[in-house]
Amino acid sequence: MASSVISPAPTSSFINNKKDLGSFCFSSTSQFSVNKCKKLAVSKKIVSVMAPQQSERRPATTGSVKNAMTLTEKIFSRASEKPQLSPGDNVWVNVDILMTHDVCGPGSFGIFKKEFGENAKVWDREKIVIIPDHYIFTSDERANRNVDILRDFCMEQNIKYFYDIKDLGNFKANPDYKGVCHIALAQEGHCRPGEVLLGTDSHTCTAGAFGQFATGIGNTDAGFVLGTGKVLLKVPPTLRFVLDGEMPDYLLAKDLILQIIGEISVAGATYKSMEFVGTTVERLSMEERMTLCNMVVEAGGKNGVVPADGTTFKYLEDKTSLPYEPVYSDEKAR
């Protein structure tokens, strides 16, 4: 068979000037180190054909077989209660948080009631976060009706985390109003390392900055989650971006993700997990990490994720009292 050998990615940084920013990535199917992730040419000419060598079959050791897994794979493994997962596996995942807002909430509630019954109760009223943030400051009665539907549903289901707005004339008079849903999730302590957070908004991937799996889903899936707390997901392969070096003062996290998308293209991470690591990422604030993860969907990514560290834990100190357990990619994960 045709063959091509690609050396493993080096562990040391290839940045010569600390003011320069470089990156390399690995996928779940191959590992490579290239400046700015350029594709390597691989010959397709068949050189020889030979039967695969049969290695000696050794007795299995006690306990389950453990292979290295990425951060996202570990979160899926825990949430699906399976000891080992690989990219492409389809698994039922237990959801920790479901977020919906005034755009998709009414549709999701409609599907929930259609499939589970008019008098059905949600799977967990404390794991559902509902945030009106799109149609609130408008005189359009039909748009306002969306918020009314959210309010009615939350009262009916006794939803604990409904960030309502009642006084449209003075938003400061609304102590429960929290603003944009992605920011509210973080500021109100709904983002925690190692968990699964889903939302009916494509930019739910923002929450991956907290070392959790976060992605957007449609109304149909949201309706099913409302009733069961589960969703069927395919384990995504991982692209790991190592960003090392000191950020110049004139660059922002938005520039980093735009540069990455420009290099891999708007389809370069289709249904993949984009994991961001390196000294540059470690120096970013939580808000900057959220910006980095927010735009992975613009590259087709399933989710973006930054491993939790001291910055994460410090941010969460006064945000949540719930226990959480961060996970990290194994050193030999691919």
Side-chain angles (χ1 to χ4, degrees):
M1 297 178 63
S3 63
S4 176
V5 179
I6 302 176
S7 60
T11 57
S12 60
S13 171
F14 55 83
I15 297 176
N16 296 321
N17 187 331
K18 70 176 184 176
K19 284 288 185 180
D20 294 333
L21 198 62
S23 65
F24 70 87
C25 62
F26 73 75
S27 72
S28 63
T29 54
S30 64
Q31 183 168 332
F32 53 92
S33 175
V34 290
N35 193 5
K36 296 187 177 180
C37 295
K38 292 182 179 178
K39 294 182 179 178
L40 299 181
V42 179
S43 172
K44 295 183 179 180
K45 180 179 179 181
I46 298 178
V47 179
S48 62
V49 178
M50 57 190 298
Q53 295 182 350
Q54 300 294 328
S55 59
E56 179 185 357
R57 184 178 179 85
R58 297 180 180 275
T61 58
T62 58
S64 60
V65 177
K66 177 175 173 57
N67 295 320
M69 289 192 292
T70 66
L71 192 161
T72 295
E73 289 164 9
K74 284 187 176 181
I75 294 175
F76 270 59
S77 175
R78 176 189 295 170
S80 63
E81 301 177 359
K82 293 183 179 296
Q84 188 69 46
L85 290 175
S86 300
D89 290 346
N90 292 299
V91 291
W92 286 101
V93 173
N94 294 312
V95 178
D96 294 293
I97 293 292
L98 172 68
M99 184 278 297
T100 190
H101 48 44
D102 44 334
V103 178
C104 298
S108 300
F109 302 156
I111 292 171
F112 164 71
K113 292 197 170 187
K114 177 182 177 182
E115 299 300 329
F116 294 92
E118 283 295 325
N119 299 318
K121 294 297 182 181
V122 296
W123 105 96
D124 192 327
R125 74 177 192 86
E126 296 189 8
K127 292 186 176 182
I128 297 168
V129 181
I130 298 180
I131 308 174
D133 74 342
H134 283 67
Y135 296 146
I136 50 177
F137 297 115
T138 175
S139 59
D140 190 292
E141 293 183 0
R142 293 179 181 176
N144 288 332
R145 177 60 186 148
N146 276 30
V147 181
D148 292 337
I149 294 173
L150 296 189
R151 190 175 294 115
D152 293 341
F153 184 83
C154 289
M155 291 182 63
E156 171 193 304
Q157 298 287 335
N158 194 25
I159 300 299
K160 183 175 182 178
Y161 300 108
F162 173 43
Y163 299 112
D164 197 6
I165 181 167
K166 298 177 181 178
D167 189 343
L168 299 179
N170 179 12
F171 72 89
K172 293 182 180 180
N174 297 273
D176 294 332
Y177 174 59
K178 303 302 177 183
V180 177
C181 58
H182 312 299
I183 307 303
L185 284 171
Q187 292 181 343
E188 298 305 310
H190 300 297
C191 300
R192 291 177 290 269
E195 295 190 351
V196 173
L197 185 152
L198 304 178
T200 55
D201 190 296
S202 61
H203 290 103
T204 302
C205 51
T206 304
F210 290 84
Q212 64 182 150
F213 176 81
T215 195
I217 58 174
N219 291 3
T220 302
D221 282 340
F224 188 81
V225 174
L226 284 169
T228 66
K230 297 178 180 291
V231 69
L232 182 64
L233 291 173
K234 181 170 68 175
V235 181
T238 294
L239 291 176
R240 194 178 201 223
F241 297 85
V242 179
L243 307 177
D244 283 321
E246 183 179 342
M247 281 271 286
D249 295 337
Y250 54 83
L251 289 182
L252 302 173
K254 182 71 169 284
D255 298 304
L256 287 182
I257 189 61
L258 286 175
Q259 177 68 23
I260 290 172
I261 295 172
E263 292 183 5
I264 68 174
S265 84
V266 294
T270 299
Y271 209 94
K272 292 182 174 64
S273 173
M274 297 175 68
E275 182 177 339
F276 303 101
V277 299
T279 58
T280 306
V281 179
E282 292 168 1
R283 294 189 183 103
L284 297 179
S285 66
M286 284 310 306
E287 291 78 9
E288 290 171 320
R289 297 177 186 189
M290 290 169 67
T291 298
L292 200 62
C293 291
N294 173 272
M295 291 190 65
V296 301
V297 68
E298 267 66 59
K302 183 64 175 177
N303 71 301
V305 67
V306 176
D309 59 10
T311 300
T312 317
F313 306 142
K314 181 67 176 178
Y315 182 92
L316 291 175
E317 280 182 0
D318 62 345
K319 300 293 191 302
T320 181
S321 59
L322 296 179
Y324 56 82
E325 184 180 350
V327 294
Y328 304 92
S329 293
D330 293 325
E331 183 178 353
K332 296 182 179 181
R334 300 191 58 175

